[in-house]
Amino acid sequence: MSKVIPFRGILYKNDRVAGDEVTAPPYDIITAEFRERLYQKSPYNIVQIDFGKEIIGDNDINNKYIRARDLLEQWIEKDIMIRDEKPSFYVYEIEYSINKERKSLKGIISLVKIEEFGQGIYPHELTHSKPKTDRLNLMKTCQANISPIYALYNSEEKITSNIIRNISGEPYISARDTDGAIHKVFKISDEASIDLITKELSDKAIFIADGHHRYEVALEYKKEMESKIPMEEKKKGEVKSYPWQYVMMFLANIADEGITILPTHRMIKGIKKEDVLLRLEPDFVIETCALECDIKERLSLERENTFGLYLGSTKKWYVLRYKGTNLKDVQPPLRDLDVVILQELIIKRDLGITDIAYEMDIEESLRKVRSGDFDAVFFLKPTKVEYVERVALAGLRMPPKSTYFYPKLLTGLVLNKFNS
């Protein structure tokens, strides 16, 4: 099972900078325009390290990774950032609103020993193949984890949850994101609490929620470094513990409230408009909806395995209720999942579609269909968090974009540096 330990985090010195000015969203959701705004916010905004600009003339000795490493070292030398004096767990709390409801997501930022998937660490969804070289180069050059992986565990005992709940006083640092959510970090450095947390989490399975690529990169780097350990050390069985054997994670308890998963809707094109409904009828009960249909509200009232459809050719809304008579060849933990029914049955088998795009915003997806960019959009209900655990433990994976964990963790609140 997993090994979770405290660490001496690298944090901004809270009397030198404001959290709002120096933190940033995850690099993969930052547009070029927004990156410019982050650069202007502060000369110490973390985006300059996590997602720095490429410059004409970059080479092996001067590039964005070298500049990121140098900046990080300079900020530490200038006391803009400091390393904690003793190992700590970092309580991370996010107060946010969703669907007009106030919620609070709480967990801890810690180091987790890197293992192969299935050995205490479990992925839950397939990821699109994309270059990992960027994240690997950043980590190797800076010798640091710049942003935490978002992960889950399940503990009904709630020992760590209760410690977090009893944290009081002002946070060490806080920041507000672009959606208005407030992110706060507190420290846990007393030995009694650290011991309780370490013991509770030492036998818990950990499920990656967001950050599959970063974990895979950390695992790749660990293997690379382990291959360089002297053979004499291996033969003696005295292999030391190295910093690169661990990766920084935010861990939230599935048994707590506060975890939110949003759906990612599927826009498609290349369908034969005249027979879409005919192709779907054998597997679904189809109901035509009013033109002013609020599909989000409508789906919230429906049972599972129900989908929304807006068809550009008819300019009409439809609700599709799965009859449950197909997909018997799909393994049981996946068979009843909405995202699997949509991907495997509707898109692949019934319609034979390969041209798919993903969009979270309902209005934006409708705009793209109405403009003719896409032929139709299928709407999903959110995937439940318990399904993430069930699928992961079965050693299976959901289709890409099955889950969107909200809100996104901010980058820059805590960093993990491998060397002192």
Side-chain angles (χ1 to χ4, degrees):
M1 285 297 183
S2 55
K3 183 177 181 181
V4 177
I5 63 171
F7 67 109
R8 294 176 60 208
I10 302 290
L11 303 99
Y12 281 102
K13 204 161 185 293
N14 57 8
D15 61 355
R16 297 288 301 274
V17 300
D20 288 358
E21 296 176 354
V22 295
T23 54
Y27 79 100
D28 55 352
I29 63 170
I30 297 176
T31 63
E33 180 185 23
F34 188 53
R35 179 167 60 177
E36 289 296 333
R37 296 208 302 270
L38 290 170
Y39 262 76
Q40 298 304 315
K41 269 192 171 186
S42 167
Y44 306 115
N45 191 283
I46 196 66
V47 77
Q48 297 179 65
I49 292 173
D50 193 46
F51 190 34
K53 299 176 185 176
E54 294 180 345
I55 297 174
I56 295 173
D58 277 356
N59 52 44
D60 289 343
I61 60 173
N62 184 20
N63 54 57
K64 64 179 182 178
Y65 308 111
I66 302 294
R67 289 190 290 272
R69 180 200 64 193
D70 293 346
L71 274 178
L72 182 55
E73 290 176 356
Q74 289 168 20
W75 294 356
I76 292 172
E77 288 172 4
K78 291 180 180 179
D79 272 353
I80 300 300
M81 291 185 128
I82 54 172
R83 183 188 287 275
D84 249 354
E85 294 181 359
K86 54 184 178 179
S88 301
F89 288 118
Y90 300 90
V91 173
Y92 187 176
E93 177 183 0
I94 310 176
E95 297 175 351
Y96 65 102
S97 293
I98 189 76
N99 299 328
K100 300 180 181 178
E101 178 186 0
R102 290 293 297 172
K103 300 184 77 171
S104 176
L105 172 64
K106 296 180 181 179
I108 61 164
I109 296 177
S110 66
L111 294 189
V112 177
K113 191 169 185 183
I114 301 166
E115 303 286 357
E116 293 283 354
F117 284 139
Q119 298 180 16
I121 310 289
Y122 299 86
H124 81 272
E125 73 176 16
L126 295 165
T127 53
H128 287 300
S129 177
K130 66 177 184 180
K132 300 174 190 173
T133 307
D134 173 61
R135 293 297 99 183
L136 182 59
N137 285 342
L138 181 68
M139 184 180 66
K140 288 173 68 171
T141 307
C142 291
Q143 286 291 287
N145 304 134
I146 308 300
S147 57
I149 293 165
Y150 185 166
L152 308 171
Y153 67 98
N154 198 342
S155 175
E156 293 293 342
E157 296 88 357
K158 296 189 176 184
I159 294 169
T160 301
S161 300
N162 289 331
I163 293 171
I164 292 171
R165 190 178 299 114
N166 291 323
I167 289 285
S168 59
E170 291 297 312
Y172 174 81
I173 193 169
S174 65
R176 187 183 296 270
D177 68 24
T178 53
D179 287 343
I182 300 172
H183 301 244
K184 303 175 184 178
V185 169
F186 304 80
K187 297 182 187 181
I188 296 178
S189 53
D190 66 284
E191 290 185 10
S193 295
I194 285 176
D195 189 52
L196 286 170
I197 292 170
T198 302
K199 285 180 178 177
E200 181 186 30
L201 299 183
S202 64
D203 65 343
K204 297 293 184 290
I206 290 175
F207 311 100
I208 297 177
D210 194 4
H212 288 79
H213 286 103
R214 275 172 285 154
Y215 187 84
E216 289 165 6
V217 161
L219 177 59
E220 181 181 336
Y221 184 54
K222 172 177 173 279
K223 289 178 179 178
E224 177 187 328
M225 295 301 290
E226 284 180 341
S227 70
K228 298 177 182 178
I229 295 175
M231 189 56 66
E232 290 181 5
E233 186 178 333
K234 293 178 181 178
K235 284 180 179 178
K236 290 178 181 178
E238 298 175 354
V239 178
K240 298 182 291 185
S241 179
Y242 294 96
W244 38 259
Q245 292 175 319
Y246 292 81
V247 68
M248 184 170 63
M249 286 190 182
F250 166 73
L251 298 171
N253 191 353
I254 293 172
D256 291 340
E257 297 178 355
I259 297 170
T260 294
I261 301 177
L262 300 178
T264 303
H265 311 298
R266 272 64 170 164
M267 302 176 296
I268 64 171
K269 59 182 174 181
I271 59 176
K272 294 180 180 179
K273 300 178 177 63
E274 64 276 6
D275 64 357
V276 170
L277 299 180
L278 285 174
R279 286 174 175 266
L280 295 174
E281 275 180 352
D283 295 312
F284 296 88
V285 175
I286 302 174
E287 178 185 339
T288 305
C289 299
L291 239 124
E292 63 275 10
C293 177
D294 183 337
I295 197 61
K296 183 178 178 181
E297 176 67 22
R298 180 61 184 270
L299 288 179
S300 70
L301 302 174
E302 294 282 348
R303 61 170 175 81
E304 291 184 22
N305 303 164
T306 301
F307 307 87
L309 166 64
Y310 181 79
L311 197 54
S313 60
T314 64
K315 295 184 173 57
K316 289 182 181 179
W317 285 96
Y318 305 91
V319 168
L320 315 176
R321 298 185 186 90
Y322 181 44
K323 296 176 182 178
T325 55
N326 217 321
L327 293 183
K328 292 179 181 177
D329 57 323
V330 176
Q331 291 166 292
L334 295 172
R335 188 182 299 161
D336 298 326
L337 293 183
D338 288 357
V339 290
V340 174
I341 295 168
L342 177 56
Q343 180 71 22
E344 294 298 320
L345 182 59
I346 296 177
I347 292 176
K348 284 188 179 179
R349 303 187 191 184
D350 287 348
L351 300 180
I353 294 297
T354 57
D355 201 340
I356 309 165
Y358 303 90
E359 177 58 60
M360 292 188 59
D361 187 87
I362 290 175
E363 290 306 317
E364 179 63 13
S365 62
L366 288 173
R367 184 193 68 77
K368 290 179 178 178
V369 172
R370 288 166 177 160
S371 69
D373 292 341
F374 293 89
D375 298 325
V377 54
F378 287 94
F379 297 96
L380 286 149
K381 294 162 68 74
T383 300
K384 293 181 179 179
V385 68
E386 56 262 35
Y387 294 160
V388 172
E389 180 181 15
R390 185 188 308 169
V391 169
L393 285 176
L396 302 171
R397 297 212 199 183
M398 299 177 189
K401 306 290 184 182
S402 292
T403 56
Y404 185 97
F405 284 84
Y406 181 86
K408 292 288 187 180
L409 307 182
L410 285 180
T411 298
L413 291 172
V414 184
L415 281 67
N416 170 46
K417 205 165 190 321
F418 301 160
N419 46 24
S420 57

